[in-house]
Amino acid sequence: MTDTMRAVVIANYGGSLKVANRPVPRPGFGEVLIKVRASGLCSTDLHLLSGRQPLGDLPRIVGHELAGKVVELGEGVSRWRTGDRVTAAIDVTCGRCRHCLAGETQLCRTMQRIGFERDGGHADFVVVPAANIVEVPAEISYEAAAILPDAVACMYHSLIHQGGVGIGQRILILGVGGLGIHGVQIARSAGAEVMATSRQAHRIALAEQYGAIGVNTADQPLAVAVAEFTDGEGVDVVVDNIGTRESVRQGLSVLRPGGKFLVVAYLDETFEIPSIPLFKTELEIIGCRGSTKQDLIDVVRLVQTGLVTPILGASYTLEQIAQAAARLESGDLVGRIWLTRD
Ligand SMILES: [Zn+2]
Ligand SMILES: [Zn+2]
């Protein structure tokens, strides 16, 4: 095997994502080396350039959505074999704190995340703990598997665990992007009726294709649409994939009494919460962070059984990272952008 590999790195904050040659990492105790076959490009990869989240020593290889083949086992790894097709849960957690012990690994205070505090998957190879990897069945492509850890598992965690979404409920999803379109499918497969908003017609059309009632908020007032959808009652759960003061204000205003507002996105640094409705109608505002390994295992099964279809947009090579980033920022795609490997 070669000693060096291509990798998309953050070399310094404030710059852009660049392709560099990096040494191929070696798996330590309990770790595996994965030959990456596809990795999903997330807007977070671009936000990391700001330096607002410390990544430790630079250069850092980014990429937290990946799928590939196990090519080398570190010492102490017995459950996996070379050649296994896998994806990986993003959070590398301690396994000992009260949150980890309770299965709420997304709250572990000492976690390191793949593609954040440790090197990630926009590379030819990545080392991850064997404890993080999840088998990908043959009928799921590498590119589809690559986007499951974040774009799909995060929505699953939000809706099913944090939101308790289930049969007969009426759900409002604010924003049909890479997360929202999977949220539509997950909520539908859980038995909920779903309304989804966007200001772009092609996003509305895609949400409708997967069973949502679409509302184009550019030309239709949300309050009126929700009143019609719920016979004036308000929705059970709002999922905010936009994360602005305006989306929070709008979302809270269309909840039924006792409804839940799921905070998934955080574009604005602070939100304003009107106190009287919060108090009078016992609204719940619930943060949603990432997903657990079990969430990832669950979504792999949802995809395998056809309940959820990963929505892919366009592919680029590692060397085309600048074009891929520009395409992501242009916002014209709903489906995930992924980076291919030759
Ligand atoms: Zn992400
Ligand atoms: Zn922990």
Side-chain angles (χ1 to χ4, degrees), residues 316-334:
Y316 293 85
T317 63
L318 287 174
E319 286 81 5
Q320 291 174 314
I321 184 63
Q323 290 103 299
R327 185 77 186 272
L328 180 61
E329 285 193 309
S330 82
D332 72 325
L333 282 173
V334 183

Side-chain angles (χ1 to χ4, degrees), residues 21-43:
N21 274 320
R22 303 284 299 153
V24 175
R26 304 258 64 94
F29 187 87
E31 295 179 328
V32 298
L33 180 69
I34 296 171
K35 183 172 170 44
V36 182
R37 297 293 306 275
S39 55
L41 185 65
C42 179
S43 53

Side-chain angles (χ1 to χ4, degrees), residues 8 36-42 45 62-68 120-123 142-143 146-147 314 316 318 336-341:
V8 174
V36 182
R37 297 293 306 275
S39 55
L41 185 65
C42 179
D45 295 337
V62 291
H64 49 275
E65 310 178 5
L66 64 103
H122 292 323
Y142 281 118
E143 54 268 34
I147 71 165
Y316 293 85
L318 287 174
R336 214 63 164 170
I337 291 172
W338 79 99
L339 302 179
T340 59
R341 305 295 183 282

Side-chain angles (χ1 to χ4, degrees), residues 8-11 15-19 41 45-46 49 62 122 321-322 325:
V8 174
V9 300
I10 291 179
S16 54
L17 296 176
K18 295 210 169 60
V19 179
L41 185 65
D45 295 337
L46 308 181
L49 284 163
V62 291
H122 292 323
I321 184 63

Side-chain angles (χ1 to χ4, degrees), residues 213-268:
I213 298 165
V215 181
N216 191 330
T217 41
D219 50 43
Q220 201 182 350
L222 184 62
V224 175
V226 169
E228 242 172 67
F229 176 46
T230 63
D231 301 318
E233 207 172 61
V235 291
D236 297 280
V237 178
V238 170
V239 183
D240 186 7
N241 292 317
I242 301 170
T244 60
R245 288 179 178 212
E246 179 56 15
S247 66
V248 171
R249 190 194 62 74
Q250 278 209 321
L252 286 171
S253 72
V254 295
L255 277 172
R256 68 157 167 80
K260 294 175 181 166
F261 184 87
L262 305 183
V263 180
V264 178
Y266 48 94
L267 218 54
D268 281 345

